[in-house]
PDB file of all heavy atoms in Angstrom:
ATOM      1  N   ALA N  17       3.108   1.516  25.496  1.00 85.00           N
ATOM      2  CA  ALA N  17       1.700   1.672  25.662  1.00 85.00           C
ATOM      3  C   ALA N  17       0.912   1.978  24.353  1.00 85.00           C
ATOM      4  O   ALA N  17      -0.236   1.666  24.255  1.00 85.00           O
ATOM      5  CB  ALA N  17       1.350   2.807  26.624  1.00 85.00           C
ATOM      6  N   ALA N  22      -3.642   1.963  20.805  1.00 89.00           N
ATOM      7  CA  ALA N  22      -4.198   1.812  19.346  1.00 89.00           C
ATOM      8  C   ALA N  22      -5.238   0.711  19.284  1.00 89.00           C
ATOM      9  O   ALA N  22      -6.207   0.890  18.624  1.00 89.00           O
ATOM     10  CB  ALA N  22      -3.015   1.593  18.376  1.00 89.00           C
ATOM     11  N   ALA N  44     -21.848  -8.273  19.308  1.00 82.00           N
ATOM     12  CA  ALA N  44     -21.027  -8.278  18.156  1.00 82.00           C
ATOM     13  C   ALA N  44     -19.596  -8.407  18.646  1.00 82.00           C
ATOM     14  O   ALA N  44     -18.814  -9.164  17.983  1.00 82.00           O
ATOM     15  CB  ALA N  44     -21.222  -7.164  17.282  1.00 82.00           C
ATOM     16  N   ILE N  59      -8.480 -21.705  18.787  1.00 88.00           N
ATOM     17  CA  ILE N  59      -7.059 -21.284  19.066  1.00 88.00           C
ATOM     18  C   ILE N  59      -6.203 -21.858  17.971  1.00 88.00           C
ATOM     19  O   ILE N  59      -5.257 -21.202  17.530  1.00 88.00           O
ATOM     20  CB  ILE N  59      -6.601 -21.868  20.438  1.00 88.00           C
ATOM     21  CG1 ILE N  59      -7.545 -21.159  21.540  1.00 88.00           C
ATOM     22  CG2 ILE N  59      -5.226 -21.504  20.686  1.00 88.00           C
ATOM     23  CD1 ILE N  59      -7.151 -21.457  22.888  1.00 88.00           C
ATOM     24  N   LEU N  64      -2.869 -20.711  13.263  1.00 91.00           N
ATOM     25  CA  LEU N  64      -2.650 -20.937  11.829  1.00 91.00           C
ATOM     26  C   LEU N  64      -2.618 -19.730  11.069  1.00 91.00           C
ATOM     27  O   LEU N  64      -1.666 -19.520  10.232  1.00 91.00           O
ATOM     28  CB  LEU N  64      -3.891 -21.865  11.411  1.00 91.00           C
ATOM     29  CG  LEU N  64      -3.847 -22.139   9.863  1.00 91.00           C
ATOM     30  CD1 LEU N  64      -2.733 -23.160   9.545  1.00 91.00           C
ATOM     31  CD2 LEU N  64      -5.210 -22.766   9.437  1.00 91.00           C
ATOM     32  N   ASN N  83      15.371   1.819   7.227  1.00 84.00           N
ATOM     33  CA  ASN N  83      14.854   2.521   5.995  1.00 84.00           C
ATOM     34  C   ASN N  83      14.869   1.595   4.752  1.00 84.00           C
ATOM     35  O   ASN N  83      15.024   2.161   3.568  1.00 84.00           O
ATOM     36  CB  ASN N  83      15.690   3.728   5.751  1.00 84.00           C
ATOM     37  CG  ASN N  83      14.892   4.877   5.147  1.00 84.00           C
ATOM     38  OD1 ASN N  83      13.686   4.894   5.346  1.00 84.00           O
ATOM     39  ND2 ASN N  83      15.479   5.728   4.396  1.00 84.00           N
ATOM     40  N   ALA N  89       6.128  -8.286   0.304  1.00 94.00           N
ATOM     41  CA  ALA N  89       6.254  -9.597   0.949  1.00 94.00           C
ATOM     42  C   ALA N  89       5.164 -10.531   0.423  1.00 94.00           C
ATOM     43  O   ALA N  89       5.429 -11.757   0.273  1.00 94.00           O
ATOM     44  CB  ALA N  89       6.075  -9.461   2.513  1.00 94.00           C
ATOM     45  N   VAL N 121      12.978 -25.515   1.418  1.00 94.00           N
ATOM     46  CA  VAL N 121      14.143 -24.818   0.791  1.00 94.00           C
ATOM     47  C   VAL N 121      13.763 -24.128  -0.477  1.00 94.00           C
ATOM     48  O   VAL N 121      14.092 -22.983  -0.751  1.00 94.00           O
ATOM     49  CB  VAL N 121      15.221 -25.837   0.636  1.00 94.00           C
ATOM     50  CG1 VAL N 121      16.339 -25.283  -0.292  1.00 94.00           C
ATOM     51  CG2 VAL N 121      15.803 -26.331   1.938  1.00 94.00           C
ATOM     52  N   ILE N 146      10.265   0.305  -2.661  1.00 92.00           N
ATOM     53  CA  ILE N 146       8.766   0.255  -2.310  1.00 92.00           C
ATOM     54  C   ILE N 146       8.029  -0.063  -3.599  1.00 92.00           C
ATOM     55  O   ILE N 146       7.279  -0.959  -3.624  1.00 92.00           O
ATOM     56  CB  ILE N 146       8.306   1.589  -1.732  1.00 92.00           C
ATOM     57  CG1 ILE N 146       9.023   1.836  -0.340  1.00 92.00           C
ATOM     58  CG2 ILE N 146       6.816   1.548  -1.594  1.00 92.00           C
ATOM     59  CD1 ILE N 146       8.516   3.129   0.246  1.00 92.00           C
ATOM     60  N   LEU N 150       6.462  -3.661  -4.844  1.00 93.00           N
ATOM     61  CA  LEU N 150       4.997  -3.684  -5.063  1.00 93.00           C
ATOM     62  C   LEU N 150       4.581  -4.140  -6.415  1.00 93.00           C
ATOM     63  O   LEU N 150       3.637  -4.970  -6.560  1.00 93.00           O
ATOM     64  CB  LEU N 150       4.530  -2.302  -4.776  1.00 93.00           C
ATOM     65  CG  LEU N 150       3.072  -2.068  -4.327  1.00 93.00           C
ATOM     66  CD1 LEU N 150       2.567  -3.153  -3.475  1.00 93.00           C
ATOM     67  CD2 LEU N 150       3.019  -0.781  -3.601  1.00 93.00           C
ATOM     68  N   MET N 151       5.225  -3.610  -7.408  1.00 94.00           N
ATOM     69  CA  MET N 151       4.814  -3.992  -8.800  1.00 94.00           C
ATOM     70  C   MET N 151       5.025  -5.504  -8.936  1.00 94.00           C
ATOM     71  O   MET N 151       4.265  -6.180  -9.603  1.00 94.00           O
ATOM     72  CB  MET N 151       5.820  -3.297  -9.830  1.00 94.00           C
ATOM     73  CG  MET N 151       5.533  -1.789  -9.887  1.00 94.00           C
ATOM     74  SD  MET N 151       3.962  -1.407 -10.634  1.00 94.00           S
ATOM     75  CE  MET N 151       3.163  -0.662  -9.266  1.00 94.00           C
ATOM     76  N   LEU N 152       6.098  -6.053  -8.300  1.00 96.00           N
ATOM     77  CA  LEU N 152       6.393  -7.490  -8.515  1.00 96.00           C
ATOM     78  C   LEU N 152       5.268  -8.328  -7.743  1.00 96.00           C
ATOM     79  O   LEU N 152       5.153  -9.459  -8.110  1.00 96.00           O
ATOM     80  CB  LEU N 152       7.729  -7.782  -7.892  1.00 96.00           C
ATOM     81  CG  LEU N 152       8.916  -7.292  -8.738  1.00 96.00           C
ATOM     82  CD1 LEU N 152      10.238  -7.542  -8.109  1.00 96.00           C
ATOM     83  CD2 LEU N 152       8.844  -7.895 -10.139  1.00 96.00           C
ATOM     84  N   SER N 179      -4.306 -26.758  -8.874  1.00 83.00           N
ATOM     85  CA  SER N 179      -3.410 -27.859  -9.188  1.00 83.00           C
ATOM     86  C   SER N 179      -3.923 -29.151  -8.551  1.00 83.00           C
ATOM     87  O   SER N 179      -4.912 -29.086  -7.772  1.00 83.00           O
ATOM     88  CB  SER N 179      -2.032 -27.524  -8.705  1.00 83.00           C
ATOM     89  OG  SER N 179      -1.973 -27.640  -7.322  1.00 83.00           O
ATOM     90  N   LYS N 180      -3.242 -30.172  -8.771  1.00 81.00           N
ATOM     91  CA  LYS N 180      -3.526 -31.466  -8.125  1.00 81.00           C
ATOM     92  C   LYS N 180      -3.341 -31.195  -6.640  1.00 81.00           C
ATOM     93  O   LYS N 180      -2.467 -30.434  -6.247  1.00 81.00           O
ATOM     94  CB  LYS N 180      -2.675 -32.514  -8.688  1.00 81.00           C
ATOM     95  CG  LYS N 180      -3.086 -33.124 -10.033  1.00 81.00           C
ATOM     96  CD  LYS N 180      -2.414 -34.463 -10.262  1.00 81.00           C
ATOM     97  CE  LYS N 180      -1.203 -34.142 -11.124  1.00 81.00           C
ATOM     98  NZ  LYS N 180      -0.698 -35.394 -11.749  1.00 81.00           N
ATOM     99  N   ASP N 193      -4.347 -33.374  16.374  1.00 75.00           N
ATOM    100  CA  ASP N 193      -5.447 -33.909  15.467  1.00 75.00           C
ATOM    101  C   ASP N 193      -6.668 -33.119  15.654  1.00 75.00           C
ATOM    102  O   ASP N 193      -7.050 -32.740  16.754  1.00 75.00           O
ATOM    103  CB  ASP N 193      -5.793 -35.394  15.848  1.00 75.00           C
ATOM    104  CG  ASP N 193      -4.822 -36.300  15.044  1.00 75.00           C
ATOM    105  OD1 ASP N 193      -4.554 -35.967  13.864  1.00 75.00           O
ATOM    106  OD2 ASP N 193      -4.487 -37.331  15.553  1.00 75.00           O
ATOM    107  N   PHE N 213      17.408 -12.843  18.352  1.00 87.00           N
ATOM    108  CA  PHE N 213      18.987 -13.041  18.580  1.00 87.00           C
ATOM    109  C   PHE N 213      19.680 -12.194  17.481  1.00 87.00           C
ATOM    110  O   PHE N 213      20.727 -11.542  17.762  1.00 87.00           O
ATOM    111  CB  PHE N 213      19.273 -14.498  18.378  1.00 87.00           C
ATOM    112  CG  PHE N 213      20.718 -14.822  18.526  1.00 87.00           C
ATOM    113  CD1 PHE N 213      21.275 -14.892  19.747  1.00 87.00           C
ATOM    114  CD2 PHE N 213      21.576 -15.075  17.462  1.00 87.00           C
ATOM    115  CE1 PHE N 213      22.605 -15.140  20.025  1.00 87.00           C
ATOM    116  CE2 PHE N 213      22.935 -15.310  17.708  1.00 87.00           C
ATOM    117  CZ  PHE N 213      23.466 -15.411  18.944  1.00 87.00           C
ATOM    118  N   TYR N 288       4.612  -2.715  12.355  1.00 88.00           N
ATOM    119  CA  TYR N 288       4.531  -1.412  13.069  1.00 88.00           C
ATOM    120  C   TYR N 288       3.921  -1.526  14.422  1.00 88.00           C
ATOM    121  O   TYR N 288       4.402  -1.011  15.390  1.00 88.00           O
ATOM    122  CB  TYR N 288       3.779  -0.428  12.211  1.00 88.00           C
ATOM    123  CG  TYR N 288       4.597   0.225  11.188  1.00 88.00           C
ATOM    124  CD1 TYR N 288       4.329  -0.013   9.851  1.00 88.00           C
ATOM    125  CD2 TYR N 288       5.637   1.077  11.483  1.00 88.00           C
ATOM    126  CE1 TYR N 288       5.142   0.552   8.837  1.00 88.00           C
ATOM    127  CE2 TYR N 288       6.348   1.727  10.539  1.00 88.00           C
ATOM    128  CZ  TYR N 288       6.103   1.469   9.186  1.00 88.00           C
ATOM    129  OH  TYR N 288       6.849   2.071   8.193  1.00 88.00           O
ATOM    130  N   MET N 304      -3.758  -9.556  14.927  1.00 91.00           N
ATOM    131  CA  MET N 304      -4.189  -9.452  13.512  1.00 91.00           C
ATOM    132  C   MET N 304      -4.878 -10.743  13.046  1.00 91.00           C
ATOM    133  O   MET N 304      -5.912 -10.700  12.355  1.00 91.00           O
ATOM    134  CB  MET N 304      -2.983  -9.173  12.655  1.00 91.00           C
ATOM    135  CG  MET N 304      -3.280  -8.776  11.251  1.00 91.00           C
ATOM    136  SD  MET N 304      -4.123  -7.215  11.188  1.00 91.00           S
ATOM    137  CE  MET N 304      -2.696  -6.118  11.409  1.00 91.00           C
ATOM    138  N   LEU N 333      -3.715   0.589  12.269  1.00 89.00           N
ATOM    139  CA  LEU N 333      -2.425   1.194  11.902  1.00 89.00           C
ATOM    140  C   LEU N 333      -2.520   2.758  12.064  1.00 89.00           C
ATOM    141  O   LEU N 333      -1.628   3.416  12.571  1.00 89.00           O
ATOM    142  CB  LEU N 333      -2.044   0.865  10.507  1.00 89.00           C
ATOM    143  CG  LEU N 333      -0.615   1.395  10.077  1.00 89.00           C
ATOM    144  CD1 LEU N 333       0.397   0.815  11.083  1.00 89.00           C
ATOM    145  CD2 LEU N 333      -0.240   0.852   8.691  1.00 89.00           C
TER     146      LEU N 333
END
Side-chain angles (χ1 to χ4, degrees):
Chain N
I59 297 187
L64 178 70
N83 211 27
V121 169
I146 298 180
L150 202 34
M151 292 291 113
L152 289 176
S179 74
K180 283 195 263 197
D193 271 330
F213 183 78
Y288 277 112
M304 192 65 78
L333 188 52

